[in-house]
Amino acid sequence: MRGIQVAKYVKGPQELKINELPDPKPSPDQYVIEVHAAATNFFDILQIQGKYQHQPPFPWVAGAEFAGVVISTPASVKSPKFPVGSRVFGGSQGSYATKILATEVQLLPVPEGWSFRDAAGLFVTAPTSYGALVLRAGVKAGDYVLVHAAAGGVGLAAVQIAKAFGATVIATAGTQRKREVAKTFGADHVVDYRDDKWPELVKKLTPKGRGVDIVYDPVGMVDKSTKCIAWNGRILVVGFAAGTIEKVAMNKVLLKNISLVGIHWGQYSVHEKESVPVVWNGIMRLVEQGKFKGTVFSDKDFVGLESIPDALVALGGRESWGKVVVTVPQGSESKL
């Protein structure tokens, strides 16, 4: 197979190289999947630099999210959930390659009518946003929800989920193009967070200026968000894409009866396994109802493993919106 193998840490994506590698050898509980599309994530950039919390031993193949076709089922499973030929998506180390190994719990069926490209970017972003808004914040009809960096991968997922539950969505983004994208995916209002007065602008968009009920924050804007949140509001701490981990004055939390709520979707499979199928069933229900669609960045195409460095640069430089997905051609069978 071909893949991007990391034998030593690199300074950035442009140092990544394509290698001819032996086909992966599955353990008795692993599927072999032919990769047709691979999605990019910020943590991929951190991992190739040695800065992520999960660093495999050298050498390892980069990438984590993918969609493709099952070409081999686990030897230890008599009746596999995904027979050979099944269209699946999932998350497992080594997606920047033509083949990948994954266990059954790391896979889900590609939704009916979805392309590999759309499905490749679903495994991390959708459950993070659904888990945050539904499990952690209890979003409901009538809520006002502020989604920061709304044109990003988790942001566009959050916009769609909040709308599906009957909330009014106020989206922030830093460029006109990204605000347009947020609107396309259902945001009711858009605000430029580069404007220092954005908390005031957000408050004016709520009934009687009371503020928003829920803030979805993957950036690290909790402190400023306390200025435009309503009494009893919930601020979801999703991540720190701005690059720094904030310190928040707790008196602000006390005075407005605010809840600061964390979401670490990756640890649900360890600490709260029973919630994983609940979240995925909820997401798939929204997909079936047409209330959740793929969020693939479409302003530029990335085709072939050779384009993965450029795709990661586009993601890291915030040139993109949604999920940056790379098509991995696999001959004439590839239905992209």
Side-chain angles (χ1 to χ4, degrees):
M1 73 171 193
R2 298 172 71 237
I4 295 180
Q5 189 181 68
V6 178
K8 62 178 183 178
Y9 295 130
V10 296
K11 290 179 182 175
Q14 296 292 24
E15 293 182 29
L16 296 173
K17 304 291 181 205
I18 315 297
N19 308 100
E20 289 291 338
L21 303 168
D23 280 356
K25 292 186 170 60
S27 60
D29 67 339
Q30 287 180 316
Y31 289 81
V32 181
I33 294 103
E34 186 179 69
V35 178
H36 286 245
T40 61
N41 288 285
F42 279 109
F43 61 76
D44 296 333
I45 299 171
L46 296 175
Q47 196 178 52
I48 62 174
Q49 295 173 327
K51 297 176 180 178
Y52 192 49
Q53 59 256 45
H54 306 298
Q55 296 292 152
F58 292 125
W60 46 273
V61 177
E65 273 189 297
F66 63 91
V69 176
V70 171
I71 57 174
S72 169
T73 58
S76 64
V77 181
K78 287 183 180 176
S79 301
K81 185 177 178 182
F82 305 107
V84 170
S86 298
R87 300 171 84 243
V88 295
F89 71 95
S92 181
Q93 185 68 52
S95 68
Y96 296 165
T98 52
K99 293 178 184 175
I100 190 171
L101 302 175
T103 60
E104 203 153 275
V105 296
Q106 295 172 308
L107 297 171
L108 286 160
V110 172
E112 194 69 36
W114 280 44
S115 69
F116 289 123
R117 289 180 73 236
D118 281 331
L122 196 57
F123 200 76
V124 172
T125 52
T128 296
S129 298
Y130 192 100
L133 288 165
V134 181
L135 296 188
R136 302 294 280 144
V139 66
K140 63 186 184 305
D143 281 343
Y144 274 69
V145 178
L146 174 62
V147 179
H148 286 307
V154 291
L156 287 179
V159 168
Q160 294 184 83
I161 291 162
K163 285 299 296 177
F165 277 80
T168 297
V169 175
I170 302 169
T172 71
T175 68
Q176 182 62 34
R177 174 65 180 134
K178 290 182 179 182
R179 290 191 291 276
E180 287 170 5
V181 168
K183 276 266 194 182
T184 302
F185 279 83
D188 297 283
H189 309 282
V190 289
V191 173
D192 184 351
Y193 62 64
R194 294 174 306 177
D195 184 331
D196 288 338
K197 294 180 179 177
W198 68 258
E200 294 171 36
L201 299 174
V202 168
K203 278 189 80 173
K204 286 176 183 174
L205 293 169
T206 63
K208 298 181 181 178
R210 65 175 172 81
V212 295
D213 303 288
I214 298 170
V215 176
Y216 183 94
D217 181 16
V219 182
M221 297 171 75
V222 171
D223 191 58
K224 275 197 167 182
S225 296
T226 60
K227 296 178 181 178
C228 60
I229 197 164
W231 169 263
N232 267 341
R234 289 87 77 202
I235 299 180
L236 290 158
V237 181
V238 184
F240 312 100
T244 56
I245 295 176
E246 287 183 278
K247 290 180 171 58
V248 180
M250 287 296 112
N251 61 315
K252 298 177 181 180
V253 177
L254 181 152
L255 292 171
K256 283 191 175 178
N257 226 38
I258 297 168
S259 298
L260 297 182
V261 188
I263 174 76
H264 187 172
W265 175 248
Q267 287 297 300
Y268 269 75
S269 60
V270 177
H271 300 292
E272 201 175 319
K273 291 179 183 177
E274 67 279 8
S275 291
V276 175
V278 172
V279 166
W280 277 114
N281 288 340
I283 292 165
M284 291 308 184
R285 198 158 48 244
L286 296 184
V287 169
E288 287 166 15
Q289 294 167 354
K291 294 179 179 178
F292 192 96
K293 60 184 180 180
T295 60
V296 177
F297 175 64
S298 58
D299 292 359
K300 182 180 179 183
D301 287 335
F302 297 95
V303 180
L305 296 176
E306 294 79 8
S307 70
I308 284 174
D310 288 342
L312 288 170
V313 168
L315 177 71
R318 303 205 183 148
E319 302 165 28
S320 60
W321 51 263
K323 289 293 293 194
V324 179
V325 177
V326 177
T327 299
V328 182
Q330 291 278 6
S332 59
E333 311 88 35
S334 188
K335 299 180 182 68
L336 293 152

